[in-house]
């Protein structure tokens, strides 16, 4: 009986150590959640400057003070052929990522508070402090996107936007913020933004995420600004 009791206690202790090893460190939890929802967020908000322009409108005839639709149908066909060729291109879409992740800005927090009760959400304190670097290595084999740090390129305001090759510079940029979690760690809020480069256009978003079935997913996206 003594031997069996000793074995039981030993197994119990070893089991408890095993469980602790499986626990995700608090400082890594936020990063793992970001890794889970990152591509889903990007696929929902990214901007591709190659196809961001709307279809060309008919020319305006100043003499008649009316629209001149001569040749407009051909122009539209050319436009749609071009955009379809980009959308059907199997090459991965090159996007620049601002990979230093900080807190949601006070400007965005003010807008978010109009949509969500923020008192239920707070930040975890990371060992790295309020900002950390987002590791892009887990996404190297993504079939749709090729992610590169924006630090590899000139600032996007200096990009040559006439380069539509999707090889020399990204077709757009992405940034995301840290996540504020609720107490249950089943819901979270972060901000994100997308740009087509050159300081020409951009959009900001509030992203609501949740974990109801054991996997983090995007629950809702709210556009907060556009430029």
């Amino acid at each position: 009986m003594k031997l069996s009791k000793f074995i039981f206690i030993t197994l119990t202790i070893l089991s408890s150590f095993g469980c602790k090893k499986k626990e995700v460190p608090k400082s890594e939890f936020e990063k793992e959640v970001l890794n889970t929802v990152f591509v889903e967020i990007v696929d929902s908000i990214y901007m591709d400057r190659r196809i961001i322009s709307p279809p060309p409108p008919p020319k305006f005839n100043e003499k008649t003070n009316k629209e001149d639709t001569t040749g407009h149908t051909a122009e539209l066909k050319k436009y749609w052929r071009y955009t379809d060729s980009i959308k059907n291109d199997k090459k991965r879409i090159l996007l620049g990522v601002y990979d230093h992740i900080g807190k949601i800005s006070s400007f965005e927090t003010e807008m978010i508070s109009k949509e969500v009760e923020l008192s239920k959400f707070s930040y975890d304190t990371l060992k790295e402090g309020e900002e950390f670097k987002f590791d892009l290595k887990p996404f190297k084999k993504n079939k749709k996107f090729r992610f590169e740090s924006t630090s590899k390129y000139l600032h996007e305001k200096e990009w040559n936007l006439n380069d539509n090759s999707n090889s020399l510079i990204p077709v757009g940029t992405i940034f995301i913020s840290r996540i504020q979690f609720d107490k249950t760690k089943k819901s979270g809020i972060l901000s994100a933004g997308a740009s087509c480069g050159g300081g020409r256009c951009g959009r900001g978003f509030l992203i609501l995420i949740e974990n109801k079935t054991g996997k983090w997913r995007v629950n809702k996206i709210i556009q907060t600004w556009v430029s």
Side-chain angles (χ1 to χ4, degrees), residues 47-62:
M47 303 176 76
D48 188 331
R49 58 183 165 75
R50 298 172 298 172
I51 55 175
I52 202 67
S53 299
K59 295 178 181 179
F60 186 77
N61 190 321
E62 295 182 355

Side-chain angles (χ1 to χ4, degrees), residues 1-10:
M1 291 292 291
K2 291 183 179 179
L3 180 60
S4 60
K5 186 176 182 181
F6 173 77
I7 293 173
F8 173 77
I9 294 173
T10 302

Side-chain angles (χ1 to χ4, degrees), residues 42 46-50 93-98 146-150 153 156 159 161 163 166 169-175 193-198 201:
V42 171
Y46 81 96
M47 303 176 76
D48 188 331
R49 58 183 165 75
R50 298 172 298 172
I93 300 170
L94 175 59
L95 289 175
V97 180
Y98 289 94
R146 175 186 157 203
F147 299 113
E148 298 288 352
S149 172
T150 54
Y153 308 92
E156 62 175 291
W159 289 358
L161 299 184
D163 170 34
N166 186 30
I169 57 174
V171 299
T173 63
I174 292 287
F175 70 83
S195 167
C196 63
C201 53

